[in-house]
Amino acid sequence: MRGSSLAAALAVLSPALAAAAPAGAGPIGHVVEVTGARAYLDAGADQGLAAGDELQLWRGEAPAGGCRIELVAPAHATCVGG
């Protein structure tokens, strides 16, 4: 399953860090599942995410696209976009 391997490799940076990841900035969460319509994150409102936030996704040290928070719960969120 391509989605599973992709999910394990992507990290989510906070909206404040989405433009560029400063040195030493760590992820606030990870993509845990990907479908054709959305990504499911293991971070949510408790980590500062809110509906409409634009996130930068990273694979290791390289940017891997972005997405917009669709729905948010305390510890999980869904994200849509490229």
Side-chain angles (χ1 to χ4, degrees):
M1 292 183 61
R2 180 177 147 85
S4 297
S5 61
L6 178 66
L10 294 176
V12 179
L13 291 183
S14 70
L17 302 177
I28 61 160
H30 296 88
V31 176
V32 295
E33 186 174 341
V34 176
T35 68
R38 62 191 40 86
Y40 296 86
L41 312 178
D42 67 355
D46 290 349
Q47 288 74 36
L49 298 178
D53 284 347
E54 299 285 332
L55 301 180
Q56 176 67 55
L57 303 176
W58 292 78
R59 178 179 283 157
E61 304 269 330
C67 65
R68 181 182 43 79
I69 296 294
E70 176 183 42
L71 300 171
V72 65
H76 297 89
T78 61
C79 194
V80 294

